[in-house]
Amino acid sequence: MATVVERERKYSGDAGFRLPDLTGCGGVETTSDATAHDLDAVYLDTPDLRLARSGFALRRRTGGHDAGWHLKVGAAGGARTEYQFPAGPDDAAPPPELAALVRAASRGGPVAPAARIVTRRRERRLLDGAGRTLADVAEDSVESHDLVSGERQAWHELEVELVDGDEAVLDAVDARLRAAGALPVPVSKSQRALGARLAAARPAPADPGAAPVLDYLTAQRDTLIGHHPGAWGGDEDAVHDMRVAVRRLRSTLRTFRGLWDRRESEELRAELSWLGGRLGPVRDTQVLAARLAAAVRAEPDELVLGQVAARLAERFAADLAAALDDLRAALGSDRYTDLLRRLDALVEGPTARTVDARWVARRVRRAVRRADDRLDRALTAGADDVALHEARKAYKRARYAVEVREPAVGGPAAKLVDRLKELQDQLGAHQDSVVTREVLREQALRAYADGENTFTYGILHARQATVAERDVPALVRTARRARRRKVRRWLKR
């Protein structure tokens, strides 16, 4: 299976639109002759269009230079990840490799043909002076057929996709196309083909008072699902973003408990904790491996005695392989898809009570106040590692609570989010030092048992301890900045 990152922009153009001369745009020297392609694609989805609603497009396409099974993840008009797999002569179902990647979006349910899109394409290459292809420009005449509702549509559009160029090429071509009358299109072909059914599938508007909380939860659910394919493959950024989405979901369910049935929301929090427990070891191992590899490289050669880097790399490779196996088992389980369906019911269904903006604001203030109290107790207790870690978790909850109000409040809330993140990051650096020291201690014991020199592990441990001690005064200063009246006075509204 091939994986590519597609960076393209889409435009509308009626039948009378004429492609302008694009030479001079971002280094374009010449344009190739047009090549014609006939493309025929069948898009698959669940009956309630969960894939399309999550920004996924799964298709089997014939024609063109990349015929086969394709899965696109992400919004049209920006960077999208595309997974490509060869198609058999008569396979009607996606290959298992792609089925695993859409498991979250489909909620584990079956997919079936949802739309057929036939495209007559005229494609040109934009070349620089050395003959490199900077981008491809496609003029498409499109006919779509919703295979469930029967609706048919026809339209013309342009696609500009980067090949060896950069965003400057897209920007320059964008300006030229707009000047010629082209208009940006914010949706993909499949989204347009399914537009009527997608509109009907949208959940009813939430109660206005609860809307900020439910909108935030919905965004985190969508982030979790959107990063499922990358996390399945062990991509570091995807695992991180998926883990953060899980944390935000759990935190929001806790901060605003009372909006939903208490038993259901607490059970869902427990299930999210289970999922986070499978994502955490993957991410932590990736971070620790990079952190300690950099620490060893930073030491003078004369202080690195023995095969320290190799031993650490060997340990983390084994730990990461085991953690990835556990994560894939979780992501492929019925427990995982049941969690997602329960999350859908909570964020898309009615709340257990009616609330107003003041109710939401009170809970945001309470989350911030509790975090302050946790940090004060930790510092009073002599900056105990466990107490500081609890303060860090409290500030995460406070930051996520403030993020709920950020769209409505704007700049003042964004400022507090930044201050709380700075504080959270410093507490996180302290906790990273604690964890790193424990790993070094364990590794030193292993090395000693194997008859190896443990000197370097001791050096690295001491440096981490020094970092932790130096963090505390900086932490106090950052806490004062985060508590300034001008940063927080909006919280009373």
Side-chain angles (χ1 to χ4, degrees), residues 338-391:
D338 181 61
L339 181 163
L340 294 176
R341 287 190 291 269
R342 292 173 72 175
L343 185 56
D344 290 337
L346 186 139
V347 301
E348 296 175 3
T351 56
R353 61 184 295 183
T354 300
V355 301
D356 58 18
R358 290 177 298 176
W359 185 91
V360 174
R362 283 196 299 271
R363 275 146 185 80
V364 173
R365 288 196 299 270
R366 184 184 302 170
V368 175
R369 185 169 61 249
R370 284 176 173 171
D372 290 339
D373 291 343
R374 283 287 178 89
L375 181 58
D376 290 343
R377 289 199 297 269
L379 295 175
T380 301
D384 173 74
D385 290 339
V386 174
L388 286 175
H389 184 45
E390 291 301 315

Side-chain angles (χ1 to χ4, degrees), residues 388-467:
L388 286 175
H389 184 45
E390 291 301 315
R392 177 197 183 195
K393 291 191 291 184
Y395 273 115
K396 283 184 180 179
R397 289 191 291 270
R399 174 188 161 199
Y400 301 154
V402 173
E403 287 175 349
V404 168
R405 295 198 64 197
E406 187 176 347
V409 175
K415 184 72 170 179
L416 181 55
V417 167
D418 290 342
R419 294 289 174 87
L420 294 178
K421 185 179 186 302
E422 184 181 3
L423 189 53
Q424 173 193 321
D425 288 346
Q426 286 192 337
L427 287 163
H430 184 92
Q431 179 62 17
D432 288 345
S433 168
V434 173
V435 174
T436 302
R437 278 178 279 160
E438 181 57 29
V439 169
L440 287 167
R441 177 181 174 278
E442 293 173 0
Q443 195 63 27
L445 290 173
R446 292 184 187 184
Y448 180 80
D450 291 339
E452 298 177 5
N453 194 308
T454 62
F455 172 82
T456 303
Y457 297 109
I459 291 288
L460 295 173
H461 189 285
R463 297 205 193 287
Q464 290 296 321
T466 300
V467 168

Side-chain angles (χ1 to χ4, degrees), residues 3 85 99 142 155 230 257 283 331 363 400 413 441 457 480 483:
T3 303
F85 201 86
V142 186
W155 68 90
R257 61 176 52 151
R283 179 61 180 164
L331 297 182
R363 275 146 185 80
Y400 301 154
R441 177 181 174 278
Y457 297 109
R480 288 174 182 160
R483 297 183 188 190

